[in-house]
Amino acid sequence: MTMPTAEVSAVRSANWCGCIPVVVNLAPTSLSSPTMPPPLHRMVSRMSYLHLGLADEVKRLYKFAPATLSFGFKRGGESGSLLTGSAPRDENISKGDGEHSAGESDDSNRTTSPNIIADTAKYPVCWFEDESSGMALRWHMFAGVLYDIMKDRKKSSEALPWRLRVHFTSYPTHQILSFANGNVPQTLEHMFNNSLKQALFLQHGSSKVAMGLSKASHQKLWDAIVGSHYALYEEINGDGLQSCGSKHNGGENIQYVPVRVMVDNKPALQRPCTVFVEETNSVKRTIGDLLADWLPDKLGGETSLVNNKDVSVSVQGISLSLSIPILDVWKCLCHP
């Protein structure tokens, strides 16, 4: 039975409202000021990237960082400009802005405006670290996915708020990807577009759908990510992609959906997944079917997975029954 379109849209809309309370501190190794700035609090959308959701906080903390970045770029001549790949400090940011206190609530619930990252030259190269584990966080993954990975390593009492450190020095190129030419927003956008093209190719088996998206549609999708704007995303997802043959909402004619499985913070498995059990072409494939098929050596089949209390399966931070059809999960909880 296919889920009604209205129900699918309602679940997706509620999912887009999901946020993570984050506390971000400046890493001591990136401090050049005599005093450490106070921590900054922010609600970050699960559907965003950390560098987007914490753009304001990054710029506020950057003025306390050293003038020379160890990422390989240094300040330029007398005008204070930077060589390609680094970011000038915003001298218009007042000390009061930089010392934004944890008690101020006006910033904590804001979504990121596209204007915050419009001037790509002013976004400093930085990286985030999970405080409790000390792990460098992979910036090309959505904030919700990163949090879910880190949450499994913490005690339940330590899971929220999510405490992060932002670094402006000692970029760990051996652990996480670098930003192309030091341009943070542009690299994020390119990474998102590439992921979208990969997903559409996995779903349709060709690049025709991805190539059919107009430049304006790509821009609207990216603006939806930057601003956590579900209505704008749905405008393209429901109309633009569907007109290219995606049939995302109704589920008709869908044979494959793109699935990415992450196990214990290891490299993801990314493949097209058939929505029906191949032998029947009518029985919907479930989460349990997929995991038993993709991870037989690790999980030992679906029965072993069900009985293994050390194994948990979640999508968008929600623990799901292994009996739920993959198609329903994809329609309701897929990432942009």
Side-chain angles (χ1 to χ4, degrees):
M1 179 178 178
T2 301
M3 291 183 64
T5 300
E7 291 185 11
V8 171
S9 182
V11 174
R12 282 211 300 265
S13 178
N15 184 47
W16 266 71
C17 292
C19 292
I20 305 166
V22 173
V23 179
V24 58
N25 286 283
L26 178 65
T29 54
S30 292
L31 178 66
S32 64
S33 173
T35 58
M36 178 68 74
L40 304 180
H41 292 226
R42 187 63 175 263
M43 295 293 288
V44 177
S45 170
R46 290 184 58 92
M47 294 295 197
S48 184
Y49 298 97
L50 288 179
H51 284 79
L52 299 183
L54 295 173
D56 268 343
E57 287 66 29
V58 166
K59 291 185 178 182
R60 293 178 184 218
L61 293 174
Y62 177 55
K63 79 186 194 76
F64 294 92
T68 300
L69 304 183
S70 64
F71 189 63
F73 305 105
K74 298 183 179 180
R75 288 189 176 279
E78 297 178 358
S79 64
S81 62
L82 297 176
L83 299 178
T84 302
S86 54
R89 298 174 190 272
D90 189 345
E91 302 300 339
N92 293 323
I93 296 179
S94 66
K95 183 175 181 180
D97 285 340
E99 295 179 351
H100 176 68
S101 68
E104 294 180 41
S105 60
D106 56 332
D107 276 354
S108 62
N109 293 317
R110 285 206 318 264
T111 55
T112 303
S113 166
N115 292 330
I116 292 177
I117 62 168
D119 190 348
T120 59
K122 289 189 176 182
Y123 200 116
V125 173
C126 62
W127 57 282
F128 293 98
E129 172 194 359
D130 177 70
E131 277 196 7
S132 62
S133 67
M135 290 185 60
L137 299 175
R138 289 175 279 180
W139 54 262
H140 59 285
M141 298 175 63
F142 285 105
V145 176
L146 285 173
Y147 171 73
D148 293 342
I149 293 173
M150 293 295 104
K151 181 183 66 174
D152 293 337
R153 298 170 174 264
K154 307 174 189 289
K155 298 178 181 178
S156 58
S157 60
E158 300 175 347
L160 292 174
W162 191 15
R163 297 186 175 275
L164 306 178
R165 293 191 189 98
V166 60
H167 294 254
F168 297 98
T169 60
S170 305
Y171 196 96
T173 54
H174 61 293
Q175 298 181 45
I176 57 177
L177 298 175
S178 301
F179 290 99
N181 298 320
N183 193 319
V184 175
Q186 187 179 77
T187 305
L188 281 170
E189 184 175 0
H190 287 171
M191 183 66 70
F192 170 74
N193 286 334
N194 288 337
S195 295
L196 176 64
K197 291 176 182 177
Q198 290 175 9
L200 291 174
F201 182 86
L202 289 175
Q203 181 183 346
H204 299 283
S206 75
S207 59
K208 183 181 297 184
V209 174
M211 296 298 291
L213 280 176
S214 66
K215 183 177 180 180
S217 294
H218 274 289
Q219 188 60 52
K220 283 186 177 181
L221 283 173
W222 178 241
D223 288 345
I225 300 299
V226 173
S228 300
H229 197 324
Y230 172 71
L232 186 59
Y233 162 75
E234 190 65 6
E235 177 184 335
I236 304 302
N237 182 64
D239 296 330
L241 291 182
Q242 188 171 3
S243 65
C244 293
S246 176
K247 300 292 184 183
H248 186 136
N249 289 330
E252 306 91 339
N253 302 325
I254 293 179
Q255 297 297 319
Y256 299 93
V257 294
V259 175
R260 179 178 293 171
V261 176
M262 302 193 67
V263 181
D264 298 334
N265 201 32
K266 295 179 180 178
L269 297 174
Q270 182 171 293
R271 307 173 189 169
C273 173
T274 57
V275 298
F276 297 105
V277 177
E278 295 179 0
E279 292 78 7
T280 64
N281 204 33
S282 60
V283 178
K284 289 184 177 180
R285 182 180 294 274
T286 65
I287 296 176
D289 294 332
L290 180 146
L291 295 178
D293 183 34
W294 286 21
L295 304 169
D297 296 335
K298 187 171 184 64
L299 301 177
E302 184 180 355
T303 302
S304 175
L305 176 62
V306 172
N307 296 327
N308 191 338
K309 296 182 180 180
D310 295 328
V311 176
S312 61
V313 179
S314 67
V315 179
Q316 297 284 15
I318 303 171
S319 296
L320 299 177
S321 168
L322 297 176
S323 62
I324 298 179
I326 284 292
L327 181 60
D328 292 344
V329 176
W330 176 73
K331 288 193 294 183
C332 294
L333 300 177
C334 71
H335 281 90

